[in-house]
Structure formats: structure tokens, C-alpha cells
Amino acid sequence: MPDLTPTRIGLVAATAAGRRHADTVASAWPHARLVEADTAADALRAAWARCDAVIAFLATGAVVRVLAPLLDDKRTDPAVVVVDEAARHAVALLGGHAGGGNDLAERVGALLDARPVITTATDAVGLPGLDTLGWPVRGAVAAVSRAILDGEPVELVADADWPLPALPPNVRPATPAGSGGGYRLLVTDRVVPLDGRTAVLRPPSLVAGVGASRGVPAEEVAGLLHRVLAEAGLDPASLRCLASADIKADEEGIRDTADALGVPLVTWPATRLAAVDVPHPSEVVRAAVGTPSVAEAAALLGPDGRSGDATLLVGKTATAMATVAVARHAPRGRLAVVGLGPGAPDLRAPRAVAELRRAAVVVGLDQYLDQVRDVLRPGTRVLASGLGAEEARARAAVAEATAGRAVALIGSGDAGVYAMASPALEYADDRIDVVGVPGVTAALAAGALLGAPLGHDHAYVSLSDLHTPWEVIERRVTAAAEGDFVTLFYNPRSRVRDWQLGKALGILGAYRPPDTPVGVVRNASRPGERVHLATLATLDPAVVDMYSVVVVGNSDTRLVAGRMVTPRGYRWRS
């Protein structure tokens, strides 16, 4: 998804209370500034003209009356959020999707403790708007969006399996017979005829390789590029980037063309370009640049150097000073490995929620999925399984991503700590993109409840010998004891594994005094949360189960006002 944070936000206020709220926003966001003028209406008009977005601490009706004559196009007008005098509501008034107004209202609400008010229809029912997917969308967008909302059949016709977010059940892949004039959502880079019942999403599938003589005019590069695309029946809106050789990185004609198209320019060293097999190599080009191909090789390498994912659609085509070739890059599935945190919704990272809402398939342990079903979009396919099926979940998530889908694989705490990231990435090859979303670990949640036991070096050890031989675990506990690390035990005790914790505590006890503080936290941040303090000498392992984290202090850890504290050893304390 695109970053919808505006680069310049104009703040408009008329009252003392409004100015206080505006000052709060300006203090938190360096890109936000109070716009001053003789009247609030003049300030509002000035902010509209100068800024990417406007936050007005005014009455909604007043804002509407002032801005109504200025409205032009939702794709270019600034977003407008209106905040009431008491900062109880942040209303996304204009530019909800295209301008990022909905996102801005959410951020303002979080900052001012105001309730965001978002009225765009798709957001109200949890569906992704066609204009929020980060891709250009053309055609009958409003009509198709309304059909999706109303539950009418909508055919999804895609040239390839792109990792789209979940779409509701009434959006179905097209059948060979077709719907005969119904609503359609096309996902293609091809130029297609449009009608009143068809919307087209332009995926970022095309890369234009560009070679040029020194000093080439931008008009020549752009003219050649647009002619080549038009003759091939390809839409410029699907360009992911322009690509060239490193020696052309500063060529203004190429850079200006990329800027005009709103795409990046990616360049590659001649040695990398020379390694790409192309249909039309040139020894003249090799002598001049060090590679037999610039345009074709760069088009095939694309933004990430994966020429094996690309097909050359248009071989090199030249004018007097410019050369262009076009390649189509296959879509890549997307696997987000998401840490949900220790359980409490307010300890779940916003990025985790965003990834869950971006996914078409969510894979996870059944009890963890129950924590997040309320944030999943309608139409999300959920693959749930029970304890002991970790490898199967990892394989399933990778298989779904390899098929081109947007997948979220969830884990409790941080997915990389005793969770699903490791088994999944053992199977994930370079055919998919992987995104990691960190989460608050059980150890961090437990540490916060106990005080500051992790103030100095500490070690994590899982006491489960289901996958790790006990001899290895025992050696690691001994190393932590010898190193005087604060030691955290995951998976400390179950009904079947009831002796390992006592054995581990005995190892630590051989190196630390019997009054060393020990904290046990059960269900940190979840219902039934319990904190228990003891010492190495007094801890009863029976109070510990698999929902617990055990934190054993080092030789310096002590209790201060009922809280575990491990000193850091700052010089100012001496």
C-alpha cells in the first residue's frame, strides 16, 4: 500500500481551543504548519492552494461553504479533515481515498484522542477501495465499486495472479462462458476497451529499458517510449520503473522522463547487464558501454535484478539518440510474517493490522486467529490449524504465496521468536517477497509487568525438548548461568514435561545466591494475567505452566518496592 502521509499539512483554526489542538498537531508533525490569514476563510483557501492536505479546526458546514467553489478533481484536490472544537471527532471530509484523507483522519484521531469519522462506503463495511490498492485504476470505478458493495456479481479477469487483498465472495474469477455484459474488474497492463460496467486495475508489470546518447532530450525519450507502448497495446500506467546502465544515472533526458511518468529510474552496472541473455546484442554498444545491451538487458533485469521473472515484449527500438525496450515482469506472491504481540489488542502493532487487512489468505494457529478475526476483511480465506501443526502451517503459507497470493502467517508475540518465521523461511525461496512485522514478545510483556528485570544482558532459553535434545538445552542453561545472564524460560513446564524447569533452576542455583529474584508471568496482557514473585530458593514449579514466562535475575538483580530491577551499571550511580 502507498504511504498516504502528506508532505505538507495546513492547519486552520479560528478559536483558542482550535489553536491549542493545532499546536498539538504541529508539535508532533514537523510537516504540519498553522496557516495564518485575516480570516479563517482566507486561511482555509490559502491552505487549500498551498498544501497536500488540510486539517480544519472549524465547523463542518463552514468548511463546506468555503471549499465548495474550489473543488476540482478528487485525484488532485487536497485531502481535508475537520476536527470539532472539543477534538472529539476527526471527520475525513474530502479526499478519503485518493488524497489520503481517511488515513489522515485515523492519524489525527490517534494524536488528539478523537474518534475518526470515515464515511466512504468501502471503508464502512471493511472492503478495500479499488483506488486504495496502490495501483492506477481506470474506467467505471464508481459503478464497479457500487456493484461490489451491493453484492452483485463482479467478474475478476486477471492476466496473472497478482497478490491482491481479500475481495468479497461476489467478486469471482471469470468463467470461460463469461457473464455476458455484467460488471467486470480487469487486472491487466494491456490497453482494453472500456464501458460503463468495467474497471481496470493497472498492475506494475512493465519495465522499460532505456539507452541513450549523451544529452538526449527528454521529449525524444518520452516520445519513443509512448510510441513503443502504444504500438504494443500496453498502458503506461503499468510501468513499474525505467531501467538503464549506471553511466546513464545522471542523464537528464532519462531522469526527466521517469519523473514525468512518476516512476523511479533504476540503473545497473555494465557487468550485470552484460550477463543477461538478449535477442539483439550489439558489439558497437559493447565497445562504447561495456555491455552488448542496455535497453533490453535493463528491461529484463527490472527493479530487482530477476531477469528470469521477465519476458521481453518489445525488443530494442531506436531513434537518433534513444533506444527503448519493454519487458513484462511476472507477479510475485507476498508472504507477511506477522507477530501479533502478547495478546492484548492495544499491544498489536498498527503495521500488523495493516498486513492482516492487506492479505487475501491468513494462516495461523486457531487460537491466535480468534484474536484477529475482527480485523480481517470480508472474503479473507483463513487456514487454521491446532498445536503441533507448525510445519504444515509454514508449508501452507509458502505454497499460497508461491501461487501468487497475498498471505499473512501469524504468530504470537514476535513471529521470529520461537514462532513461525523460522520454519516458514526455511521453505520460502526467491519466487516470493517476504515481509516481517515485529511484535511485542511475551518476554517484553512479562518484563514490563515485573519491573525492569531485563535492564542488562539477558538470555532466552526454551525448555521444550520436543525439537531440541535436553542435553543441548542443559548446555545452554549452564552457559547462561556461567555468564551471569538474566535468564528467561519459554515453554517452561507442561503436564507432560514437568521436570525440566526444576532441573534448569537447579543449574542456575549453582551459580547464583538462593535469594535471587524470580518472576513468573502467566497470560501477560491476556485475560487471567497473573504475576508471581519468588526467589530461586522458594519458587514452586507447580505455579508455572505453558502460558507462563519465567524470568530469573542475575547476581545483581534485586527487588525494589516489589519490582524486579537489574541495574545497568551506569557510571553516575558510583
Side-chain angles (χ1 to χ4, degrees), residues 3-347:
D3 182 4
L4 299 178
T5 304
T7 56
R8 293 175 302 161
I9 298 177
L11 309 176
V12 179
T15 66
R19 286 179 174 272
R20 286 196 300 272
H21 301 320
D23 287 343
T24 299
V25 174
S27 298
W29 296 346
H31 50 281
R33 293 288 186 273
L34 186 67
V35 178
E36 301 279 10
D38 292 339
T39 67
D42 288 341
L44 194 54
R45 295 186 190 97
W48 177 271
R50 300 176 197 162
C51 301
D52 301 304
V54 180
I55 303 174
F57 299 90
L58 304 168
T60 303
V63 174
V64 169
R65 283 191 294 274
V66 172
L67 295 183
L70 307 179
L71 297 178
D72 181 23
D73 189 315
K74 70 177 184 178
R75 288 170 292 187
T76 56
D77 287 344
V80 178
V81 171
V82 178
V83 180
D84 64 277
E85 182 85 354
R88 290 175 298 190
H89 300 93
V91 182
L93 186 67
L94 293 171
H97 285 162
N102 292 348
D103 180 73
L104 184 59
E106 295 275 5
R107 294 169 184 256
V108 172
L111 181 61
L112 299 179
D113 197 24
R115 180 178 180 181
V117 180
I118 296 170
T119 59
T120 43
T122 50
D123 295 273
V125 296
L127 297 177
L130 297 181
D131 52 354
T132 67
L133 301 180
W135 298 348
V137 58
R138 304 287 186 265
V141 179
V144 174
S145 296
R146 174 51 58 188
I148 294 173
L149 286 166
D150 290 345
E152 297 190 45
V154 176
E155 279 192 333
L156 176 64
V157 184
D159 289 344
D161 290 325
W162 287 90
L164 293 169
L167 295 169
N170 59 307
V171 182
R172 299 186 181 93
T175 61
S179 62
Y183 291 100
R184 295 190 306 161
L185 176 60
L186 308 184
V187 184
T188 181
D189 56 26
R190 296 174 293 107
V191 175
V192 293
L194 297 176
D195 56 44
R197 301 169 74 86
T198 300
V200 184
L201 277 170
R202 297 297 186 192
S205 55
L206 303 178
V207 175
V210 182
S213 301
R214 182 60 66 185
V216 63
E219 295 78 8
E220 184 169 346
V221 177
L224 175 60
L225 175 58
H226 284 286
R227 174 168 66 82
V228 162
L229 291 171
E231 290 174 352
L234 301 171
D235 196 301
S238 279
L239 280 172
R240 184 184 304 183
C241 66
L242 301 190
S244 190
D246 278 352
I247 62 171
K248 299 299 178 184
D250 61 348
E251 190 65 56
E252 289 188 9
I254 300 177
R255 298 202 68 86
D256 290 349
T257 300
D259 291 343
L261 290 165
V263 299
L265 171 63
V266 177
T267 61
W268 295 97
T271 52
R272 188 70 187 278
L273 294 169
V276 180
D277 185 27
V278 298
H280 306 106
S282 167
E283 291 305 314
V284 173
V285 175
R286 185 196 298 272
V289 185
T291 170
S293 172
V294 173
E296 290 181 344
L300 289 167
L301 281 177
D304 47 23
R306 295 187 177 97
S307 59
D309 293 340
T311 302
L312 193 67
L313 300 180
V314 182
K316 64 179 183 180
T317 305
T319 59
M321 298 182 71
T323 305
V324 166
V326 180
R328 175 182 287 138
H329 285 251
R332 295 168 56 80
R334 189 173 192 276
L335 175 62
V337 186
V338 179
L340 299 181
D346 58 350
L347 289 181

Side-chain angles (χ1 to χ4, degrees), residues 479-504:
E482 291 175 340
D484 199 23
F485 287 91
V486 174
T487 308
L488 300 98
F489 291 128
Y490 273 62
N491 306 310
R493 186 174 182 272
S494 69
R495 284 174 295 184
V496 176
R497 294 183 300 100
D498 59 358
W499 58 268
Q500 286 89 343
L501 176 60
K503 180 69 172 177

Side-chain angles (χ1 to χ4, degrees), residues 404-418:
R405 301 182 182 97
V407 182
L409 174 63
I410 64 172
S412 181
D414 183 282
V417 179
Y418 299 120

Side-chain angles (χ1 to χ4, degrees), residues 461-510:
V461 180
S462 170
L463 295 185
S464 172
D465 56 1
L466 296 177
H467 304 289
T468 305
W470 174 251
E471 293 76 13
V472 174
I473 297 172
E474 189 172 27
R475 189 164 65 248
R476 291 171 179 171
V477 175
T478 301
E482 291 175 340
D484 199 23
F485 287 91
V486 174
T487 308
L488 300 98
F489 291 128
Y490 273 62
N491 306 310
R493 186 174 182 272
S494 69
R495 284 174 295 184
V496 176
R497 294 183 300 100
D498 59 358
W499 58 268
Q500 286 89 343
L501 176 60
K503 180 69 172 177
L505 293 173
I507 294 171
L508 293 177

Side-chain angles (χ1 to χ4, degrees), residues 446-447 449-459 480-481 483-488 508 511-520 532-537 550-569 573:
L449 290 168
L450 290 168
L454 310 182
H456 213 307
D457 299 333
H458 47 277
D484 199 23
F485 287 91
V486 174
T487 308
L488 300 98
L508 293 177
Y511 292 84
R512 298 177 194 177
D515 61 350
T516 299
V518 177
V520 178
H532 176 74
L533 284 172
T535 66
L536 271 175
V550 179
V551 182
V552 182
N554 67 10
S555 59
D556 291 325
T557 303
R558 57 184 181 273
L559 291 179
V560 180
R563 292 179 284 270
M564 287 180 69
V565 179
T566 302
R568 182 69 178 89
R573 291 187 55 87

